[in-house]
Amino acid sequence: MKRLSTIFSITLLFSVLIFSSCNFGSDVGKNYKPNGDTPCPATLTIEAFNRMIDGAKRSDNSNTLNMMFSGEILTLDVTRSYTIVEQGKGWYRIAVDNMELYVVPHMGKVY
């Protein structure tokens, strides 16, 4: 009986450690607010987000302007707070008013 209790305790400990390591450092469920008066670009799809980032890395201003004029790149309202619903490598998916957008994490504050 003591051995069964020890096995159960070890299993429970590993379960807690695995669960906490998966959720450690995640910003999902927290709020995101754009930095001050800086325009914060956002996109409706991850594909548009990747094209926006690729254009920025290549300093392709014409691509960025085309995406802005076509409505693929939007700017966030700096007076609002958004909820982070998903986190990836180098992006957040945020939500407000039944709309989800992709943004760059360093362009805002998480709280």
Side-chain angles (χ1 to χ4, degrees):
M1 189 68 164
K2 183 174 179 160
R3 182 179 174 134
L4 185 60
S5 175
T6 304
I7 292 172
F8 177 74
S9 297
I10 291 172
T11 304
L12 182 62
L13 177 65
F14 278 125
S15 299
V16 168
L17 289 174
I18 290 171
F19 178 75
S20 63
S21 69
C22 290
N23 290 325
F24 181 73
S26 175
D27 291 331
V28 174
K30 295 181 182 177
N31 292 321
Y32 177 88
K33 184 167 177 69
N35 289 330
D37 296 330
T38 306
C40 186
T43 64
L44 293 170
T45 65
I46 192 68
E47 292 82 12
F49 179 83
N50 289 331
R51 285 196 323 272
M52 177 183 72
I53 296 300
D54 185 52
K57 286 180 182 176
R58 292 184 290 117
S59 298
D60 186 357
N61 293 333
S62 63
N63 177 51
T64 303
L65 288 173
N66 288 338
M67 290 180 74
M68 288 175 74
F69 289 131
S70 70
E72 289 183 275
I73 296 178
L74 311 168
T75 55
L76 297 180
D77 182 352
V78 296
T79 64
R80 299 202 60 182
S81 180
Y82 303 84
T83 303
I84 300 170
V85 293
E86 188 178 355
Q87 178 178 0
K89 185 176 172 132
W91 56 266
Y92 289 147
R93 185 167 51 113
I94 58 174
V96 67
D97 298 336
N98 296 322
M99 183 197 290
E100 294 186 348
L101 302 163
Y102 291 87
V103 295
V104 181
H106 69 271
M107 296 292 286
K109 294 178 254 177
V110 176
Y111 61 96

